[in-house]
Amino acid sequence: QVQLVESGGGLVQAGGSLRLSCAASGLTFRSYTMGWFRQAPGKERDFVAAITWSDYYSSQYADSVKGRFTISRDNAKNTVYLQMNSLKPEDTGVYYCAAKYYGAYGRTESALYNYWGQGTQVTVSS
């Protein structure tokens, strides 16, 4: 049974930082592209960042978070991270970790992900 468990969310002031973690189990972690998505109240779930490992790490970011967020993964620990710096109120939402089998193709598309975590709330106050 595949499980993705997020942690690290919370309340932070604008300009602050948070680090989200997602621990995966029940899958061959290195074979999966790992992504982070977020959903604000009343809005659709949006792509934030994704990371793929083949012979090297390849990452991709939404334009709104480039230069502020960094995605990384530790294949030995089956864990993916999202370091979020210079947070803004518009970063508020529920952040979801997701796993997509094999490869970077379509990694910005939520419909192509196979497994999802339960989400962790991030609230950025102004």
Side-chain angles (χ1 to χ4, degrees):
Q1 180 181 359
V2 175
Q3 283 193 314
L4 303 178
V5 180
E6 301 100 333
S7 60
L11 173 64
V12 64
Q13 287 188 332
S17 298
L18 283 174
R19 189 195 195 203
L20 305 183
S21 299
C22 172
S25 60
L27 76 172
T28 305
F29 185 72
R30 62 181 62 226
S31 297
Y32 283 78
T33 285
M34 299 302 295
W36 288 97
F37 291 76
R38 68 186 179 192
Q39 188 167 20
K43 295 188 177 181
E44 295 184 350
R45 191 172 299 187
D46 291 331
F47 170 75
V48 175
I51 186 166
T52 303
W53 184 89
S54 54
D55 293 326
Y56 57 91
Y57 291 102
S58 166
S59 58
Q60 187 172 358
Y61 298 91
D63 288 343
S64 59
V65 307
K66 280 181 183 176
R68 301 187 298 121
F69 290 11
T70 302
I71 189 171
S72 61
R73 63 190 292 163
D74 186 337
N75 287 342
K77 295 183 178 180
N78 286 8
T79 301
V80 61
Y81 305 96
L82 185 68
Q83 177 66 44
M84 306 186 294
N85 299 329
S86 302
L87 282 161
K88 304 175 181 180
E90 51 263 44
D91 294 318
T92 294
V94 178
Y95 282 68
Y96 297 91
C97 169
K100 187 184 80 68
Y101 181 67
Y102 196 68
Y105 173 78
R107 59 187 175 179
T108 65
E109 303 297 327
S110 60
L112 297 183
Y113 281 75
N114 304 98
Y115 303 105
W116 291 84
Q118 81 288 351
T120 186
Q121 177 71 44
V122 171
T123 303
V124 184
S125 63
S126 57

